[in-house]
């Protein structure tokens, strides 16, 4: 059976070139094909002042396809043995990437680094795709450090013991176990989110430690050779995960579906980690209705 493709959003700008590097490495690791996707949102369209209709400028679509071809060529230069294809879609980037996620094994997107204001949460392609995608998503942050150089060997995952978090833990363990260098996984649990509930701090910590230990025991069965550590922090999970990202190669979080509104909202923890992390972030959402829970 052919491995599902790794799909990367590409537009020729720095964040997408860094995402392309990361995606190419991941496709090679998986033995999967790489699909370079450029979404041209009505490229070169101009408003005709007469009838008031939009018309494409001559050569606009061809120019968009050249961007796609550039991404394909870059991936092949980095790895000539990689099976790479390109696709150019005339639609919004978020829609094109979300639709592509249906048949993808992994979706990789780039985004700019830290901003001073969380001003683009609803309009950002990265946030929208992470919320809507039907497969796990990797958000590669554009930073001073080369994200492609991170082999996903040091992986941190947050868990609250839920089924959604369990999928994130397994995804993170797979990434760490398959790293080129000796991988390791840190399972992080926090008490901070429930501090306001009136439950004693000792009980909160005991519960968090139990959740972490349960995750470690489960991973001994599924990933017996993986070095797994646990850590309990008495702070909000988003703060702990962002802090951990400074020394990690990948931070993974899960996000819950919401019934008929699944994907319309991305959890506050996931939002904060995507925004603040200093390394790539993996988002593992709930499977679509009827899908295999392990898919």
């Amino acid at each position: 059976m052919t491995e599902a493709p790794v799909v990367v959003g590409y537009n020729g700008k720095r964040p997408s070139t860094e995402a392309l590097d990361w995606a190419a490495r991941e496709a090679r690791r998986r033995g999967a094909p790489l699909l370079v996707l450029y979404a041209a949102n009505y490229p070169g369209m101009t408003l005709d002042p007469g009838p008031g209709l939009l018309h494409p400028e001559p050569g606009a679509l061809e120019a968009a396809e050249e961007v796609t071809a550039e991404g394909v060529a870059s991936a092949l230069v980095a790895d000539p043995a990689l099976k790479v294809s390109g696709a150019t879609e005339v639609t919004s980037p978020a829609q094109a990437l979300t639709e592509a996620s249906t048949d993808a094994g992994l979706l990789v997107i780039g985004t700019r680094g830290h901003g001073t204001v969380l001003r683009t949460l609803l309009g950002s392609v990265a946030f929208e795709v992470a919320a809507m995608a039907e497969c796990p998503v990797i958000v590669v942050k554009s930073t001073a450090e080369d994200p492609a150089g991170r082999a996903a060997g040091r992986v941190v995952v947050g868990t609250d013991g839920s089924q959604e978090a369990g999928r994130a833990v397994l995804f993170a363990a797979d990434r760490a176990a398959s790293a080129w260098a000796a991988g390791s996984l840190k399972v992080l649990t926090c008490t901070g989110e429930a501090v306001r509930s009136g439950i004693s701090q000792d009980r909160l910590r005991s519960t968090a430690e139990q959740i972490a230990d349960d995750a470690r025991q489960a991973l001994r069965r599924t990933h017996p050779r993986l070095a797994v550590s646990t850590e309990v922090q008495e702070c909000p999970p988003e703060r702990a995960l962002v802090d951990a990202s400074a020394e990690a190669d990948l931070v993974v979080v899960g996000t819950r579906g919401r019934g008929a509104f699944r994907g319309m909202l991305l959890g506050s923890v996931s939002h904060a980690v995507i925004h603040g992390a200093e390394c790539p972030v993996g988002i593992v959402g709930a499977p679509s209705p009827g899908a295999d829970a392990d898919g």
Side-chain angles (χ1 to χ4, degrees):
M1 183 177 179
T2 303
E3 183 77 20
V6 174
V7 177
V8 58
Y10 182 79
N11 61 10
K13 297 179 182 179
R14 179 181 172 184
S16 73
T17 60
E18 293 176 348
L20 177 66
D21 290 342
W22 205 101
R25 291 168 63 91
E26 179 66 10
R28 183 170 69 233
R29 184 195 66 77
R30 290 173 171 233
L34 176 67
L35 174 62
V36 179
L37 176 61
Y38 175 43
N41 199 359
Y42 302 100
M45 289 290 186
T46 57
L47 183 64
D48 187 327
L53 299 176
L54 287 172
H55 297 283
E57 292 181 353
L61 185 57
E62 290 83 352
E65 290 173 340
E66 287 179 5
V67 175
T68 305
E70 174 191 277
V72 171
S74 295
L76 288 172
V77 167
D79 187 350
L82 193 61
K83 184 178 180 181
V84 187
S85 60
T88 306
E89 300 289 343
V90 182
T91 186
S92 72
Q95 180 176 338
L97 289 164
T98 300
E99 290 177 354
S101 74
T102 302
D103 299 316
L106 185 72
L107 191 62
V108 183
I109 52 180
T111 187
R112 289 185 293 275
H114 305 280
T116 56
V117 181
L118 212 58
R119 63 190 181 279
T120 58
L121 288 186
L122 296 179
S124 164
V125 172
F127 287 102
E128 187 172 351
V129 173
M132 298 290 289
E134 298 289 340
C135 69
V137 176
I138 300 291
V139 179
V140 178
K141 305 291 288 292
S142 183
T143 63
E145 185 174 347
D146 177 14
R150 299 189 175 203
R154 300 170 298 173
V155 182
V156 175
V157 61
T159 181
D160 59 4
S162 66
Q163 184 178 14
E164 294 83 4
R167 281 188 286 267
V169 169
L170 287 176
F171 177 87
D174 287 343
R175 303 283 73 69
S178 60
W180 288 280
S184 64
L185 176 66
K186 177 185 289 186
V187 178
L188 188 62
T189 56
C190 296
T191 65
E193 211 171 33
V195 167
R196 294 182 296 273
S197 67
I199 302 173
S200 72
Q201 191 65 27
D202 286 346
R203 182 178 174 187
L204 288 171
R205 185 170 187 87
S206 176
T207 300
E209 288 174 346
Q210 186 62 56
I211 289 170
D213 189 61
D214 288 347
R216 179 169 52 190
Q217 295 299 329
L219 290 172
R220 283 181 179 174
R221 297 189 295 271
T222 60
H223 297 76
R225 298 183 179 180
L226 179 63
V228 179
S229 62
T230 62
E231 183 176 335
V232 176
Q233 292 201 16
E234 296 178 358
C235 67
E238 56 269 34
R239 185 195 307 168
L241 289 165
V242 169
D243 288 347
S245 73
E247 297 181 354
D249 302 312
L250 180 69
V251 169
V252 179
V253 293
T255 185
R256 291 177 173 82
R258 290 174 171 79
F261 296 99
R262 178 182 177 270
M264 292 300 291
L265 296 173
L266 189 65
S268 59
V269 173
S270 303
H271 252 155
V273 174
I274 291 174
H275 179 72
E278 297 182 30
C279 68
V281 178
I283 307 296
V284 181
S288 57
D292 186 335
D294 296 327

